[in-house]
Amino acid sequence: MVAHVGDFGLARFRAELTTPSASSSTAMWETIGYAAPEYGLGSEMSASGDVYSYGILLLEMVTRRRPTDKIFEADLNLHNFSKSAFPERVVEIVDSMLLTEERHGSKIVEYLIPIVKIGLACSAESPKDRMSINIALQELHLVKKNILKVNMDS
């Protein structure tokens, strides 16, 4: 239950852009699945792109599927995979280990649905459709508050 920073791919990619002899293909490959779609079209890196990466990371944590998993081919990606099950079939896509968590009982799905919703809103294809990071964090804090409240009541 300790968070760790796991990828500095775009930071390296950005640094390599300032070096004329450097190749960016390696750095970009390391962030496939996490990099916002607009980066593939030559757009500048932005906070909105970071929000996209954050949303993908949330979906990865809940589903236990990497955005580079072999099941994601053609138009299927982690965002679309999660969206296709949201909200009625979320239990089908979440990591089964989360569903066996006994201290939250049957309420666990009630906590996972808003997290998947936030992940989807942050990883929308268009930057203008993405949830702001401030709202995402507010909503995640609300989920945390609800979990803590239920645990205190138990």
Side-chain angles (χ1 to χ4, degrees), residues 86-119:
F86 185 79
E88 297 85 11
R89 298 185 350 260
V90 162
V91 75
E92 295 174 19
I93 64 160
V94 299
D95 179 8
S96 61
M97 296 296 286
L98 294 174
L99 299 175
T100 61
E101 183 66 46
E102 290 188 25
R103 66 186 156 163
H104 299 304
S106 62
K107 293 214 177 246
I108 192 71
V109 174
E110 291 178 33
Y111 307 134
L112 294 173
I113 289 174
I115 293 171
V116 171
K117 180 180 178 182
I118 295 164

PDB file of all heavy atoms in Angstrom, residues 86-119:
ATOM      1  N   PHE A  86     -18.663  -0.351 -18.193  1.00  0.00           N
ATOM      2  CA  PHE A  86     -19.077   0.652 -17.211  1.00  0.00           C
ATOM      3  C   PHE A  86     -20.532   1.054 -17.394  1.00  0.00           C
ATOM      4  O   PHE A  86     -20.953   1.305 -18.509  1.00  0.00           O
ATOM      5  CB  PHE A  86     -18.182   1.896 -17.325  1.00  0.00           C
ATOM      6  CG  PHE A  86     -18.463   2.910 -16.274  1.00  0.00           C
ATOM      7  CD1 PHE A  86     -17.958   2.742 -15.003  1.00  0.00           C
ATOM      8  CD2 PHE A  86     -19.244   4.010 -16.541  1.00  0.00           C
ATOM      9  CE1 PHE A  86     -18.220   3.674 -14.018  1.00  0.00           C
ATOM     10  CE2 PHE A  86     -19.522   4.939 -15.564  1.00  0.00           C
ATOM     11  CZ  PHE A  86     -18.998   4.769 -14.301  1.00  0.00           C
ATOM     12  N   PRO A  87     -21.297   1.158 -16.332  1.00  0.00           N
ATOM     13  CA  PRO A  87     -21.029   0.779 -14.947  1.00  0.00           C
ATOM     14  C   PRO A  87     -21.588  -0.613 -14.584  1.00  0.00           C
ATOM     15  O   PRO A  87     -21.185  -1.202 -13.605  1.00  0.00           O
ATOM     16  CB  PRO A  87     -21.755   1.854 -14.148  1.00  0.00           C
ATOM     17  CG  PRO A  87     -22.963   2.175 -14.970  1.00  0.00           C
ATOM     18  CD  PRO A  87     -22.500   2.012 -16.418  1.00  0.00           C
ATOM     19  N   GLU A  88     -22.522  -1.110 -15.392  1.00  0.00           N
ATOM     20  CA  GLU A  88     -23.245  -2.324 -15.020  1.00  0.00           C
ATOM     21  C   GLU A  88     -22.360  -3.558 -14.868  1.00  0.00           C
ATOM     22  O   GLU A  88     -22.625  -4.410 -14.019  1.00  0.00           O
ATOM     23  CB  GLU A  88     -24.355  -2.655 -16.038  1.00  0.00           C
ATOM     24  CG  GLU A  88     -25.451  -1.618 -16.137  1.00  0.00           C
ATOM     25  CD  GLU A  88     -25.109  -0.485 -17.099  1.00  0.00           C
ATOM     26  OE1 GLU A  88     -24.119  -0.599 -17.857  1.00  0.00           O
ATOM     27  OE2 GLU A  88     -25.831   0.531 -17.065  1.00  0.00           O
ATOM     28  N   ARG A  89     -21.299  -3.667 -15.669  1.00  0.00           N
ATOM     29  CA  ARG A  89     -20.475  -4.878 -15.658  1.00  0.00           C
ATOM     30  C   ARG A  89     -19.056  -4.621 -15.161  1.00  0.00           C
ATOM     31  O   ARG A  89     -18.146  -5.359 -15.511  1.00  0.00           O
ATOM     32  CB  ARG A  89     -20.453  -5.494 -17.065  1.00  0.00           C
ATOM     33  CG  ARG A  89     -21.825  -5.934 -17.549  1.00  0.00           C
ATOM     34  CD  ARG A  89     -21.814  -6.668 -18.896  1.00  0.00           C
ATOM     35  NE  ARG A  89     -20.578  -6.647 -19.635  1.00  0.00           N
ATOM     36  CZ  ARG A  89     -20.297  -5.834 -20.666  1.00  0.00           C
ATOM     37  NH1 ARG A  89     -21.192  -4.982 -21.090  1.00  0.00           N
ATOM     38  NH2 ARG A  89     -19.128  -5.876 -21.297  1.00  0.00           N
ATOM     39  N   VAL A  90     -18.891  -3.620 -14.341  1.00  0.00           N
ATOM     40  CA  VAL A  90     -17.559  -3.292 -13.831  1.00  0.00           C
ATOM     41  C   VAL A  90     -16.942  -4.488 -13.124  1.00  0.00           C
ATOM     42  O   VAL A  90     -15.750  -4.750 -13.245  1.00  0.00           O
ATOM     43  CB  VAL A  90     -17.603  -2.051 -12.904  1.00  0.00           C
ATOM     44  CG1 VAL A  90     -16.362  -1.944 -12.041  1.00  0.00           C
ATOM     45  CG2 VAL A  90     -17.773  -0.795 -13.723  1.00  0.00           C
ATOM     46  N   VAL A  91     -17.753  -5.254 -12.433  1.00  0.00           N
ATOM     47  CA  VAL A  91     -17.246  -6.411 -11.699  1.00  0.00           C
ATOM     48  C   VAL A  91     -16.558  -7.412 -12.636  1.00  0.00           C
ATOM     49  O   VAL A  91     -15.677  -8.155 -12.215  1.00  0.00           O
ATOM     50  CB  VAL A  91     -18.388  -7.068 -10.880  1.00  0.00           C
ATOM     51  CG1 VAL A  91     -19.336  -7.851 -11.760  1.00  0.00           C
ATOM     52  CG2 VAL A  91     -17.833  -7.926  -9.778  1.00  0.00           C
ATOM     53  N   GLU A  92     -16.909  -7.409 -13.915  1.00  0.00           N
ATOM     54  CA  GLU A  92     -16.306  -8.324 -14.887  1.00  0.00           C
ATOM     55  C   GLU A  92     -14.891  -7.900 -15.302  1.00  0.00           C
ATOM     56  O   GLU A  92     -14.123  -8.733 -15.775  1.00  0.00           O
ATOM     57  CB  GLU A  92     -17.182  -8.429 -16.138  1.00  0.00           C
ATOM     58  CG  GLU A  92     -18.537  -9.055 -15.891  1.00  0.00           C
ATOM     59  CD  GLU A  92     -19.433  -9.017 -17.113  1.00  0.00           C
ATOM     60  OE1 GLU A  92     -18.924  -8.848 -18.244  1.00  0.00           O
ATOM     61  OE2 GLU A  92     -20.656  -9.137 -16.932  1.00  0.00           O
ATOM     62  N   ILE A  93     -14.562  -6.640 -15.154  1.00  0.00           N
ATOM     63  CA  ILE A  93     -13.253  -6.166 -15.621  1.00  0.00           C
ATOM     64  C   ILE A  93     -12.270  -5.865 -14.507  1.00  0.00           C
ATOM     65  O   ILE A  93     -11.079  -5.736 -14.758  1.00  0.00           O
ATOM     66  CB  ILE A  93     -13.388  -4.915 -16.529  1.00  0.00           C
ATOM     67  CG1 ILE A  93     -13.959  -3.745 -15.756  1.00  0.00           C
ATOM     68  CG2 ILE A  93     -14.167  -5.242 -17.786  1.00  0.00           C
ATOM     69  CD1 ILE A  93     -13.699  -2.395 -16.376  1.00  0.00           C
ATOM     70  N   VAL A  94     -12.756  -5.732 -13.275  1.00  0.00           N
ATOM     71  CA  VAL A  94     -11.838  -5.384 -12.191  1.00  0.00           C
ATOM     72  C   VAL A  94     -11.011  -6.595 -11.785  1.00  0.00           C
ATOM     73  O   VAL A  94     -11.399  -7.748 -11.997  1.00  0.00           O
ATOM     74  CB  VAL A  94     -12.563  -4.798 -10.958  1.00  0.00           C
ATOM     75  CG1 VAL A  94     -13.286  -3.518 -11.312  1.00  0.00           C
ATOM     76  CG2 VAL A  94     -13.491  -5.793 -10.322  1.00  0.00           C
ATOM     77  N   ASP A  95      -9.862  -6.316 -11.210  1.00  0.00           N
ATOM     78  CA  ASP A  95      -8.971  -7.344 -10.706  1.00  0.00           C
ATOM     79  C   ASP A  95      -9.719  -8.190  -9.677  1.00  0.00           C
ATOM     80  O   ASP A  95     -10.271  -7.661  -8.711  1.00  0.00           O
ATOM     81  CB  ASP A  95      -7.750  -6.677 -10.083  1.00  0.00           C
ATOM     82  CG  ASP A  95      -6.750  -7.640  -9.494  1.00  0.00           C
ATOM     83  OD1 ASP A  95      -6.901  -8.863  -9.671  1.00  0.00           O
ATOM     84  OD2 ASP A  95      -5.793  -7.147  -8.870  1.00  0.00           O
ATOM     85  N   SER A  96      -9.738  -9.491  -9.871  1.00  0.00           N
ATOM     86  CA  SER A  96     -10.476 -10.387  -8.974  1.00  0.00           C
ATOM     87  C   SER A  96      -9.959 -10.310  -7.543  1.00  0.00           C
ATOM     88  O   SER A  96     -10.708 -10.578  -6.602  1.00  0.00           O
ATOM     89  CB  SER A  96     -10.422 -11.818  -9.496  1.00  0.00           C
ATOM     90  OG  SER A  96      -9.079 -12.265  -9.557  1.00  0.00           O
ATOM     91  N   MET A  97      -8.707  -9.928  -7.362  1.00  0.00           N
ATOM     92  CA  MET A  97      -8.159  -9.792  -6.010  1.00  0.00           C
ATOM     93  C   MET A  97      -8.875  -8.684  -5.234  1.00  0.00           C
ATOM     94  O   MET A  97      -9.011  -8.770  -4.018  1.00  0.00           O
ATOM     95  CB  MET A  97      -6.655  -9.498  -6.066  1.00  0.00           C
ATOM     96  CG  MET A  97      -5.833 -10.617  -6.662  1.00  0.00           C
ATOM     97  SD  MET A  97      -5.888 -12.128  -5.680  1.00  0.00           S
ATOM     98  CE  MET A  97      -4.847 -11.641  -4.326  1.00  0.00           C
ATOM     99  N   LEU A  98      -9.331  -7.668  -5.929  1.00  0.00           N
ATOM    100  CA  LEU A  98     -10.064  -6.593  -5.261  1.00  0.00           C
ATOM    101  C   LEU A  98     -11.430  -7.071  -4.792  1.00  0.00           C
ATOM    102  O   LEU A  98     -11.957  -6.589  -3.798  1.00  0.00           O
ATOM    103  CB  LEU A  98     -10.235  -5.395  -6.206  1.00  0.00           C
ATOM    104  CG  LEU A  98      -8.954  -4.681  -6.602  1.00  0.00           C
ATOM    105  CD1 LEU A  98      -9.251  -3.617  -7.654  1.00  0.00           C
ATOM    106  CD2 LEU A  98      -8.282  -4.064  -5.391  1.00  0.00           C
ATOM    107  N   LEU A  99     -11.991  -8.003  -5.514  1.00  0.00           N
ATOM    108  CA  LEU A  99     -13.330  -8.500  -5.174  1.00  0.00           C
ATOM    109  C   LEU A  99     -13.310  -9.484  -4.021  1.00  0.00           C
ATOM    110  O   LEU A  99     -14.345  -9.768  -3.436  1.00  0.00           O
ATOM    111  CB  LEU A  99     -13.973  -9.137  -6.406  1.00  0.00           C
ATOM    112  CG  LEU A  99     -14.165  -8.184  -7.581  1.00  0.00           C
ATOM    113  CD1 LEU A  99     -14.689  -8.937  -8.791  1.00  0.00           C
ATOM    114  CD2 LEU A  99     -15.093  -7.045  -7.220  1.00  0.00           C
ATOM    115  N   THR A 100     -12.153  -9.988  -3.667  1.00  0.00           N
ATOM    116  CA  THR A 100     -12.060 -10.921  -2.544  1.00  0.00           C
ATOM    117  C   THR A 100     -11.719 -10.214  -1.243  1.00  0.00           C
ATOM    118  O   THR A 100     -11.583 -10.844  -0.215  1.00  0.00           O
ATOM    119  CB  THR A 100     -10.991 -12.015  -2.809  1.00  0.00           C
ATOM    120  OG1 THR A 100      -9.725 -11.389  -2.971  1.00  0.00           O
ATOM    121  CG2 THR A 100     -11.341 -12.835  -4.031  1.00  0.00           C
ATOM    122  N   GLU A 101     -11.607  -8.905  -1.316  1.00  0.00           N
ATOM    123  CA  GLU A 101     -11.287  -8.103  -0.129  1.00  0.00           C
ATOM    124  C   GLU A 101     -12.468  -8.166   0.827  1.00  0.00           C
ATOM    125  O   GLU A 101     -13.530  -7.606   0.570  1.00  0.00           O
ATOM    126  CB  GLU A 101     -11.001  -6.660  -0.546  1.00  0.00           C
ATOM    127  CG  GLU A 101     -10.590  -5.753   0.567  1.00  0.00           C
ATOM    128  CD  GLU A 101      -9.256  -6.141   1.167  1.00  0.00           C
ATOM    129  OE1 GLU A 101      -8.314  -6.414   0.410  1.00  0.00           O
ATOM    130  OE2 GLU A 101      -9.177  -6.179   2.398  1.00  0.00           O
ATOM    131  N   GLU A 102     -12.311  -8.861   1.956  1.00  0.00           N
ATOM    132  CA  GLU A 102     -13.424  -9.111   2.859  1.00  0.00           C
ATOM    133  C   GLU A 102     -13.756  -7.944   3.781  1.00  0.00           C
ATOM    134  O   GLU A 102     -14.880  -7.813   4.212  1.00  0.00           O
ATOM    135  CB  GLU A 102     -13.152 -10.371   3.678  1.00  0.00           C
ATOM    136  CG  GLU A 102     -13.210 -11.608   2.823  1.00  0.00           C
ATOM    137  CD  GLU A 102     -13.133 -12.880   3.642  1.00  0.00           C
ATOM    138  OE1 GLU A 102     -13.500 -12.844   4.828  1.00  0.00           O
ATOM    139  OE2 GLU A 102     -12.709 -13.892   3.077  1.00  0.00           O
ATOM    140  N   ARG A 103     -12.786  -7.100   4.077  1.00  0.00           N
ATOM    141  CA  ARG A 103     -13.094  -6.054   5.053  1.00  0.00           C
ATOM    142  C   ARG A 103     -14.089  -5.035   4.520  1.00  0.00           C
ATOM    143  O   ARG A 103     -14.675  -4.291   5.271  1.00  0.00           O
ATOM    144  CB  ARG A 103     -11.831  -5.377   5.543  1.00  0.00           C
ATOM    145  CG  ARG A 103     -11.095  -4.604   4.510  1.00  0.00           C
ATOM    146  CD  ARG A 103      -9.792  -4.099   5.027  1.00  0.00           C
ATOM    147  NE  ARG A 103      -8.953  -3.900   3.872  1.00  0.00           N
ATOM    148  CZ  ARG A 103      -7.885  -3.205   3.857  1.00  0.00           C
ATOM    149  NH1 ARG A 103      -7.469  -2.642   4.947  1.00  0.00           N
ATOM    150  NH2 ARG A 103      -7.180  -3.059   2.770  1.00  0.00           N
ATOM    151  N   HIS A 104     -14.287  -4.971   3.200  1.00  0.00           N
ATOM    152  CA  HIS A 104     -15.273  -4.061   2.640  1.00  0.00           C
ATOM    153  C   HIS A 104     -16.522  -4.787   2.187  1.00  0.00           C
ATOM    154  O   HIS A 104     -17.495  -4.165   1.802  1.00  0.00           O
ATOM    155  CB  HIS A 104     -14.688  -3.299   1.438  1.00  0.00           C
ATOM    156  CG  HIS A 104     -13.504  -2.479   1.809  1.00  0.00           C
ATOM    157  ND1 HIS A 104     -13.530  -1.528   2.785  1.00  0.00           N
ATOM    158  CD2 HIS A 104     -12.241  -2.505   1.339  1.00  0.00           C
ATOM    159  CE1 HIS A 104     -12.331  -0.981   2.902  1.00  0.00           C
ATOM    160  NE2 HIS A 104     -11.531  -1.558   2.044  1.00  0.00           N
ATOM    161  N   GLY A 105     -16.490  -6.105   2.194  1.00  0.00           N
ATOM    162  CA  GLY A 105     -17.653  -6.893   1.829  1.00  0.00           C
ATOM    163  C   GLY A 105     -18.176  -6.561   0.446  1.00  0.00           C
ATOM    164  O   GLY A 105     -17.428  -6.256  -0.463  1.00  0.00           O
ATOM    165  N   SER A 106     -19.478  -6.596   0.299  1.00  0.00           N
ATOM    166  CA  SER A 106     -20.102  -6.374  -1.011  1.00  0.00           C
ATOM    167  C   SER A 106     -20.019  -4.915  -1.449  1.00  0.00           C
ATOM    168  O   SER A 106     -20.292  -4.605  -2.592  1.00  0.00           O
ATOM    169  CB  SER A 106     -21.561  -6.829  -0.969  1.00  0.00           C
ATOM    170  OG  SER A 106     -22.272  -6.056  -0.022  1.00  0.00           O
ATOM    171  N   LYS A 107     -19.657  -4.027  -0.577  1.00  0.00           N
ATOM    172  CA  LYS A 107     -19.578  -2.605  -0.918  1.00  0.00           C
ATOM    173  C   LYS A 107     -18.395  -2.267  -1.806  1.00  0.00           C
ATOM    174  O   LYS A 107     -18.311  -1.180  -2.326  1.00  0.00           O
ATOM    175  CB  LYS A 107     -19.523  -1.756   0.347  1.00  0.00           C
ATOM    176  CG  LYS A 107     -20.797  -1.793   1.144  1.00  0.00           C
ATOM    177  CD  LYS A 107     -21.007  -0.460   1.789  1.00  0.00           C
ATOM    178  CE  LYS A 107     -22.314  -0.452   2.524  1.00  0.00           C
ATOM    179  NZ  LYS A 107     -23.258   0.459   1.934  1.00  0.00           N
ATOM    180  N   ILE A 108     -17.461  -3.186  -1.982  1.00  0.00           N
ATOM    181  CA  ILE A 108     -16.252  -2.891  -2.757  1.00  0.00           C
ATOM    182  C   ILE A 108     -16.591  -2.387  -4.152  1.00  0.00           C
ATOM    183  O   ILE A 108     -15.952  -1.477  -4.660  1.00  0.00           O
ATOM    184  CB  ILE A 108     -15.282  -4.101  -2.797  1.00  0.00           C
ATOM    185  CG1 ILE A 108     -13.918  -3.681  -3.340  1.00  0.00           C
ATOM    186  CG2 ILE A 108     -15.851  -5.238  -3.615  1.00  0.00           C
ATOM    187  CD1 ILE A 108     -13.121  -2.841  -2.424  1.00  0.00           C
ATOM    188  N   VAL A 109     -17.617  -2.937  -4.781  1.00  0.00           N
ATOM    189  CA  VAL A 109     -17.998  -2.506  -6.126  1.00  0.00           C
ATOM    190  C   VAL A 109     -18.473  -1.058  -6.092  1.00  0.00           C
ATOM    191  O   VAL A 109     -18.200  -0.298  -7.016  1.00  0.00           O
ATOM    192  CB  VAL A 109     -19.066  -3.435  -6.730  1.00  0.00           C
ATOM    193  CG1 VAL A 109     -19.566  -2.921  -8.064  1.00  0.00           C
ATOM    194  CG2 VAL A 109     -18.505  -4.847  -6.887  1.00  0.00           C
ATOM    195  N   GLU A 110     -19.108  -0.657  -5.002  1.00  0.00           N
ATOM    196  CA  GLU A 110     -19.549   0.733  -4.873  1.00  0.00           C
ATOM    197  C   GLU A 110     -18.360   1.698  -4.857  1.00  0.00           C
ATOM    198  O   GLU A 110     -18.497   2.851  -5.246  1.00  0.00           O
ATOM    199  CB  GLU A 110     -20.369   0.921  -3.592  1.00  0.00           C
ATOM    200  CG  GLU A 110     -21.711   0.229  -3.631  1.00  0.00           C
ATOM    201  CD  GLU A 110     -22.474   0.397  -2.338  1.00  0.00           C
ATOM    202  OE1 GLU A 110     -22.351   1.461  -1.684  1.00  0.00           O
ATOM    203  OE2 GLU A 110     -23.188  -0.541  -1.969  1.00  0.00           O
ATOM    204  N   TYR A 111     -17.209   1.237  -4.416  1.00  0.00           N
ATOM    205  CA  TYR A 111     -16.010   2.072  -4.401  1.00  0.00           C
ATOM    206  C   TYR A 111     -15.288   2.021  -5.733  1.00  0.00           C
ATOM    207  O   TYR A 111     -14.645   2.984  -6.133  1.00  0.00           O
ATOM    208  CB  TYR A 111     -15.052   1.636  -3.293  1.00  0.00           C
ATOM    209  CG  TYR A 111     -15.674   1.560  -1.933  1.00  0.00           C
ATOM    210  CD1 TYR A 111     -15.456   0.462  -1.110  1.00  0.00           C
ATOM    211  CD2 TYR A 111     -16.492   2.580  -1.459  1.00  0.00           C
ATOM    212  CE1 TYR A 111     -16.038   0.398   0.153  1.00  0.00           C
ATOM    213  CE2 TYR A 111     -17.072   2.515  -0.206  1.00  0.00           C
ATOM    214  CZ  TYR A 111     -16.837   1.410   0.586  1.00  0.00           C
ATOM    215  OH  TYR A 111     -17.408   1.347   1.827  1.00  0.00           O
ATOM    216  N   LEU A 112     -15.367   0.890  -6.401  1.00  0.00           N
ATOM    217  CA  LEU A 112     -14.654   0.729  -7.670  1.00  0.00           C
ATOM    218  C   LEU A 112     -15.327   1.478  -8.809  1.00  0.00           C
ATOM    219  O   LEU A 112     -14.640   1.999  -9.685  1.00  0.00           O
ATOM    220  CB  LEU A 112     -14.528  -0.759  -8.017  1.00  0.00           C
ATOM    221  CG  LEU A 112     -13.650  -1.564  -7.059  1.00  0.00           C
ATOM    222  CD1 LEU A 112     -13.727  -3.042  -7.394  1.00  0.00           C
ATOM    223  CD2 LEU A 112     -12.227  -1.071  -7.090  1.00  0.00           C
ATOM    224  N   ILE A 113     -16.640   1.537  -8.807  1.00  0.00           N
ATOM    225  CA  ILE A 113     -17.350   2.230  -9.895  1.00  0.00           C
ATOM    226  C   ILE A 113     -16.928   3.691 -10.009  1.00  0.00           C
ATOM    227  O   ILE A 113     -16.594   4.143 -11.100  1.00  0.00           O
ATOM    228  CB  ILE A 113     -18.882   2.058  -9.763  1.00  0.00           C
ATOM    229  CG1 ILE A 113     -19.253   0.611 -10.097  1.00  0.00           C
ATOM    230  CG2 ILE A 113     -19.633   3.038 -10.663  1.00  0.00           C
ATOM    231  CD1 ILE A 113     -20.715   0.256  -9.867  1.00  0.00           C
ATOM    232  N   PRO A 114     -16.888   4.458  -8.909  1.00  0.00           N
ATOM    233  CA  PRO A 114     -16.433   5.850  -9.068  1.00  0.00           C
ATOM    234  C   PRO A 114     -14.971   5.965  -9.484  1.00  0.00           C
ATOM    235  O   PRO A 114     -14.601   6.888 -10.205  1.00  0.00           O
ATOM    236  CB  PRO A 114     -16.666   6.484  -7.698  1.00  0.00           C
ATOM    237  CG  PRO A 114     -17.202   5.462  -6.809  1.00  0.00           C
ATOM    238  CD  PRO A 114     -17.401   4.201  -7.568  1.00  0.00           C
ATOM    239  N   ILE A 115     -14.137   5.013  -9.076  1.00  0.00           N
ATOM    240  CA  ILE A 115     -12.730   5.064  -9.473  1.00  0.00           C
ATOM    241  C   ILE A 115     -12.603   4.805 -10.969  1.00  0.00           C
ATOM    242  O   ILE A 115     -11.857   5.498 -11.667  1.00  0.00           O
ATOM    243  CB  ILE A 115     -11.892   4.067  -8.644  1.00  0.00           C
ATOM    244  CG1 ILE A 115     -11.868   4.520  -7.181  1.00  0.00           C
ATOM    245  CG2 ILE A 115     -10.479   3.955  -9.203  1.00  0.00           C
ATOM    246  CD1 ILE A 115     -11.260   3.519  -6.219  1.00  0.00           C
ATOM    247  N   VAL A 116     -13.355   3.835 -11.484  1.00  0.00           N
ATOM    248  CA  VAL A 116     -13.345   3.572 -12.929  1.00  0.00           C
ATOM    249  C   VAL A 116     -13.905   4.784 -13.669  1.00  0.00           C
ATOM    250  O   VAL A 116     -13.359   5.188 -14.707  1.00  0.00           O
ATOM    251  CB  VAL A 116     -14.133   2.291 -13.279  1.00  0.00           C
ATOM    252  CG1 VAL A 116     -14.299   2.143 -14.783  1.00  0.00           C
ATOM    253  CG2 VAL A 116     -13.439   1.059 -12.701  1.00  0.00           C
ATOM    254  N   LYS A 117     -14.936   5.396 -13.126  1.00  0.00           N
ATOM    255  CA  LYS A 117     -15.522   6.593 -13.751  1.00  0.00           C
ATOM    256  C   LYS A 117     -14.484   7.710 -13.858  1.00  0.00           C
ATOM    257  O   LYS A 117     -14.365   8.370 -14.899  1.00  0.00           O
ATOM    258  CB  LYS A 117     -16.729   7.068 -12.937  1.00  0.00           C
ATOM    259  CG  LYS A 117     -17.408   8.292 -13.508  1.00  0.00           C
ATOM    260  CD  LYS A 117     -18.587   8.708 -12.649  1.00  0.00           C
ATOM    261  CE  LYS A 117     -19.236   9.954 -13.193  1.00  0.00           C
ATOM    262  NZ  LYS A 117     -20.350  10.419 -12.350  1.00  0.00           N
ATOM    263  N   ILE A 118     -13.706   7.911 -12.817  1.00  0.00           N
ATOM    264  CA  ILE A 118     -12.664   8.938 -12.821  1.00  0.00           C
ATOM    265  C   ILE A 118     -11.585   8.571 -13.839  1.00  0.00           C
ATOM    266  O   ILE A 118     -11.134   9.417 -14.616  1.00  0.00           O
ATOM    267  CB  ILE A 118     -12.070   9.123 -11.413  1.00  0.00           C
ATOM    268  CG1 ILE A 118     -13.138   9.657 -10.457  1.00  0.00           C
ATOM    269  CG2 ILE A 118     -10.851  10.049 -11.456  1.00  0.00           C
ATOM    270  CD1 ILE A 118     -12.789   9.512  -8.987  1.00  0.00           C
ATOM    271  N   GLY A 119     -11.183   7.312 -13.846  1.00  0.00           N
ATOM    272  CA  GLY A 119     -10.184   6.857 -14.817  1.00  0.00           C
ATOM    273  C   GLY A 119     -10.640   7.076 -16.248  1.00  0.00           C
ATOM    274  O   GLY A 119      -9.864   7.522 -17.099  1.00  0.00           O
TER     275      GLY A 119
END
